């Protein structure tokens, strides 16, 4: 089969990103224009501002991606885009942009689920072999998935309330750390020790998790101490939180590995950029003789290369979207 080049677009949250991906495994060029500094002024993503900024930036990001890849649209085989889940206004900009390019240049269109994108980011490191256990940890998802083949997602369990990324961001807020919270909590935790006694997210043997209790206990602890005029040891609290939050992911992943006897595991989503999580999961997989694969840091958080990687199996199967594709804020993958 001849080489397949996919132009991919990702705009589901606050990154305007495009990439050209070869055969689903090799990123020719990735452009990520982040709006982080703008949203940091508000302590989180403001949807209306995000979609307006995507609109202003898509043309520039497209030009830059083709120029840096030294390619023209004639060499592109298909256009892929994130259509769900995400912020509606942000998704619409990417979807309309992809539809326009595909229609004008007469290319097939591929609709990609954002979470499939996070999972397939792993193919940019090393092609996934099945069966495998996928741990998806992002701002909106915390799930354990069993994959027996391409696009075969069996949902084993996940958070019943808040996602772990959301929890990191909330803890950052109460600790007075700037947006985006996750990386800042990770950094602060390095300076602390585990001295706060916090509730375990879900102390059972199911594959479900719950992070809202942990989040609330930290918010309450900080408020109570502030009201009493007591100092909070912020690095210690960050460390105690991270230990408990990550330990739950490791414990539940290990249960799934044992129950389904899988020999391979991957991590996906923004929180997979966390070095402590990567280290703890690696220790557990080594202990169980399981091969672990994690995306490079640039492919962990939102980017279009992962969308190009996830689009490739759909291209091979001929699963194309029609030119009247719509964005969908909450279509789940599993
Ligand atoms: O996958 P992602 O970029 O966007 C979503 O699809 O949600 O994930 C964003 C989430 C945010 O909650 C962010 O704080 C978290 O991933 N995150 C981290 C780290 N880097 C990003 N959380 C903990 N440690 C990190 N190093
Ligand atoms: Zn994401």
């Amino acid at each position: 089969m001849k080489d397949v080049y996919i132009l991919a677009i990702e705009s589901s949250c606050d990154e305007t990103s495009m990439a050209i991906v070869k055969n689903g495994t090799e990123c020719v060029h990735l452009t990520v224009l982040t709006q982080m500094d703008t949203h940091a002024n508000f302590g989180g993503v403001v949807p209306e501002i995000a979609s307006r900024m995507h609109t202003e930036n898509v043309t520039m990001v497209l030009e830059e991606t083709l120029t840096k890849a030294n390619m023209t649209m004639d060499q592109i085989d298909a256009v892929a885009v994130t259509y769900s889940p995400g912020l509606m206004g942000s998704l619409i900009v990417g979807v309309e942009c992809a539809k326009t390019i595909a229609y004008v240049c007469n290319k097939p269109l591929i609709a990609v689920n954002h979470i499939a994108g996070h999972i397939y980011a792993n193919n940019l490191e090393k092609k996934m072999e099945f069966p495998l256990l996928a741990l998806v940890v992002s701002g909106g998802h915390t799930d354990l998935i069993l994959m027996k083949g391409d696009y075969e997602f069996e949902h084993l369990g996940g958070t019943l309330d808040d996602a772990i990324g959301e929890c990191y961001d909330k803890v950052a807020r109460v600790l007075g750390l700037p947006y985006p919270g996750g990386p800042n909590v990770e950094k602060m935790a390095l300076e602390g020790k585990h001295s706060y006694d916090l509730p375990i997210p879900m102390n059972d043997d199911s594959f479900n998790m719950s992070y809202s209790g942990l989040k609330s206990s930290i918010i309450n602890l900080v408020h109570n101490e502030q009201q009493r005029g007591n100092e909070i040891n912020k690095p210690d609290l960050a460390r105690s939180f991270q230990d408990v939050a990550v330990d739950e992911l490791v414990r539940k992943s290990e249960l799934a590995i044992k129950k389904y006897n899988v020999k391979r595991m991957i991590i996906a989503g923004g929180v997979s950029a966390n070095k402590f999580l990567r280290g703890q999961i690696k220790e557990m997989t080594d202990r169980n003789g399981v091969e672990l694969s994690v995306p490079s840091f640039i492919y962990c958080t939102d980017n279009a290369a992962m969308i190009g990687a996830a689009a490739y199996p759909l291209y091979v199967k001929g699963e194309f979207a029609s030119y009247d594709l719509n964005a969908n804020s909450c279509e789940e993958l599993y």
Side-chain angles (χ1 to χ4, degrees):
M1 194 167 149
K2 82 173 213 10
D3 288 334
V4 173
Y5 291 91
I6 296 178
L7 170 69
I9 302 173
E10 155 65 40
S11 70
S12 66
C13 192
D14 62 339
E15 261 92 34
T16 317
S17 179
M18 295 196 197
I20 295 169
V21 176
K22 181 181 167 186
N23 300 333
T25 52
E26 196 183 311
C27 180
V28 181
H29 184 76
L30 167 66
T31 312
V32 183
L33 189 70
T34 180
Q35 307 171 359
M36 207 184 281
D37 290 348
T38 304
H39 297 291
N41 294 319
F42 304 95
V45 179
V46 183
E48 178 63 24
I49 295 176
S51 49
R52 280 169 194 259
M53 289 184 79
H54 285 309
T55 312
E56 285 164 16
N57 294 330
V58 276
T59 319
M60 191 170 66
V61 172
L62 174 63
E63 270 176 14
E64 160 129 355
T65 307
L66 287 167
T67 308
K68 292 263 172 72
N70 198 19
M71 290 179 80
T72 64
M73 279 309 294
D74 293 343
Q75 295 162 282
I76 299 292
D77 297 286
V79 180
V81 64
T82 307
Y83 77 100
S84 186
L87 300 172
M88 196 57 180
S90 291
L91 288 165
I92 287 173
V93 180
V95 168
E96 293 308 313
C97 175
K99 279 159 45 173
T100 308
I101 300 170
Y103 182 70
V104 170
C105 301
N106 197 23
K107 307 286 177 191
L109 181 67
I110 304 173
V112 177
N113 179 291
H114 182 79
I115 299 303
H118 276 303
I119 291 172
Y120 276 88
N122 280 278
N123 273 356
L124 299 165
E125 274 343 286
K126 185 173 170 290
K127 203 154 182 343
M128 292 186 286
E129 286 176 53
F130 306 105
L132 62 77
L133 177 73
L135 172 66
V136 178
V137 277
S138 71
H141 287 77
T142 310
D143 291 304
L144 279 166
I145 317 291
L146 184 65
M147 285 183 76
K148 292 189 180 147
D150 272 318
Y151 275 86
E152 288 177 35
F153 305 107
E154 188 186 331
H155 188 234
L156 304 180
T159 183
L160 301 176
D161 38 60
D162 296 344
I164 183 154
E166 200 180 330
C167 200
Y168 261 99
D169 293 339
K170 196 33 126 333
V171 169
R173 222 179 184 160
V174 296
L175 292 179
L177 296 170
Y179 172 85
N184 288 317
V185 172
E186 178 180 20
K187 213 190 279 168
M188 184 174 256
L190 287 175
E191 297 154 26
K193 57 184 188 314
H194 192 138
S195 66
Y196 286 94
D197 194 17
L198 298 169
I200 295 171
M202 192 137 172
N203 202 3
D204 70 359
D205 285 345
S206 76
F207 297 123
N208 288 326
M209 293 162 245
S210 164
Y211 281 99
S212 76
L214 176 61
K215 181 183 81 179
S216 305
S217 76
I218 291 174
I219 295 171
N220 292 339
L221 190 148
V222 171
H223 287 170
N224 288 341
E225 293 298 325
Q226 275 168 350
Q227 275 171 358
R228 290 189 193 118
N230 295 339
E231 279 280 313
I232 289 279
N233 185 323
K234 290 183 178 180
D236 277 12
L237 189 52
R239 171 70 190 270
S240 307
F241 156 70
Q242 179 160 270
D243 280 355
V244 172
V246 167
D247 185 63
E248 178 76 344
L249 297 173
V250 175
R251 200 171 67 78
K252 296 271 156 133
S253 300
E254 188 166 19
L255 284 177
I257 279 173
K258 288 188 170 150
K259 172 153 184 202
Y260 293 94
N261 195 23
V262 285
K263 293 284 167 240
R264 299 178 195 93
M265 180 173 173
I266 60 151
I267 324 179
V271 184
S272 66
N274 185 289
K275 292 201 186 84
F276 181 70
L277 169 68
R278 290 159 88 107
Q280 294 297 104
I281 295 273
K282 178 83 177 102
E283 210 171 84
M284 181 277 287
T285 48
D286 282 353
R287 198 165 63 230
N288 286 280
V290 168
E291 187 190 326
L292 175 70
S293 175
V294 288
S296 294
F297 289 108
I298 44 159
Y299 301 134
C300 285
T301 44
D302 293 349
N303 70 88
M306 69 185 199
I307 303 304
Y312 181 75
L314 301 176
Y315 178 92
V316 172
K317 282 198 276 181
E319 279 187 27
F320 300 118
S322 65
Y323 288 157
D324 62 0
L325 172 71
N326 279 324
N328 182 325
S329 63
C330 56
E331 193 169 292
E332 293 296 349
L333 180 63
Y334 27 76

